[in-house]
Amino acid sequence: MCKKNLVTRILLSVVLLCSSAQAVVTTPQYPMPLNKYISDYVGVLQPEETRSLATKLIACERKLGVECAVVIIDSVNRYAPAMRFEQFATNLFNQWGIGSRFKNNGVLLLVALQDRAVRIELGSGYKIAHNNI
């Protein structure tokens, strides 16, 4: 009887550990924005390049009303190992709330260096904003 309780406890512990480990692995941890326009987590942009690009993105938002964000990461696997690159970009766009909440006209440029992948994610309202240019 004592061996049976021990085996049951061990099995229960293994099941609990596996289920909690799976939850940790499958829950994506999106990075927090470094600022509104440019989040370079890898450090590939020089300070003067960052300033120049930020100036252009600010001008775009003022002139066209379209908020653009540039995000540079090493790999999607660092944040969401089981997620496709395209889905990660969409989720990051939504998580950060890029663009006007009411117009949904933001633009995200996501670059993942180790993945050798680039994605431009557009809010569903971008077509409306683009047609008004």
Side-chain angles (χ1 to χ4, degrees):
M1 178 109 169
C2 191
K3 286 185 180 181
K4 191 173 183 181
N5 280 341
L6 180 62
V7 171
T8 302
R9 286 183 183 177
I10 291 173
L11 287 174
L12 182 59
S13 297
V14 169
V15 168
L16 288 174
L17 284 173
C18 289
S19 64
S20 65
Q22 182 180 4
V24 171
V25 170
T26 59
T27 304
Q29 298 296 320
Y30 298 101
M32 296 300 296
L34 298 176
N35 69 50
K36 183 177 179 180
Y37 301 102
I38 302 169
S39 294
D40 180 3
Y41 297 96
V42 185
V44 296
L45 297 176
Q46 297 297 318
E48 59 274 3
E49 294 170 323
T50 301
R51 282 191 296 276
S52 175
L53 181 56
T55 300
K56 291 173 183 165
L57 296 176
I58 291 167
C60 178
E61 185 174 12
R62 286 185 183 151
K63 182 177 179 181
L64 304 175
V66 176
E67 181 183 327
C68 300
V70 175
V71 179
I72 305 171
I73 60 175
D74 51 356
S75 175
V76 168
N77 288 330
R78 178 176 180 187
Y79 304 99
M83 191 176 290
R84 289 183 9 256
F85 184 74
E86 295 80 9
Q87 187 63 49
F88 180 84
T90 300
N91 292 353
L92 184 65
F93 179 92
N94 292 331
Q95 176 98 12
W96 285 13
I98 299 170
S100 165
R101 171 189 254 174
F102 302 105
K103 295 179 183 177
N104 195 13
N105 62 347
V107 177
L108 167 67
L109 172 63
L110 176 63
V111 179
L113 296 178
Q114 289 179 7
D115 300 337
R116 299 176 57 100
V118 175
R119 173 103 176 153
I120 299 173
E121 193 70 34
L122 303 175
S124 62
Y126 181 77
K127 183 176 182 182
I128 296 167
H130 181 70
N131 290 338
N132 292 333
I133 297 176

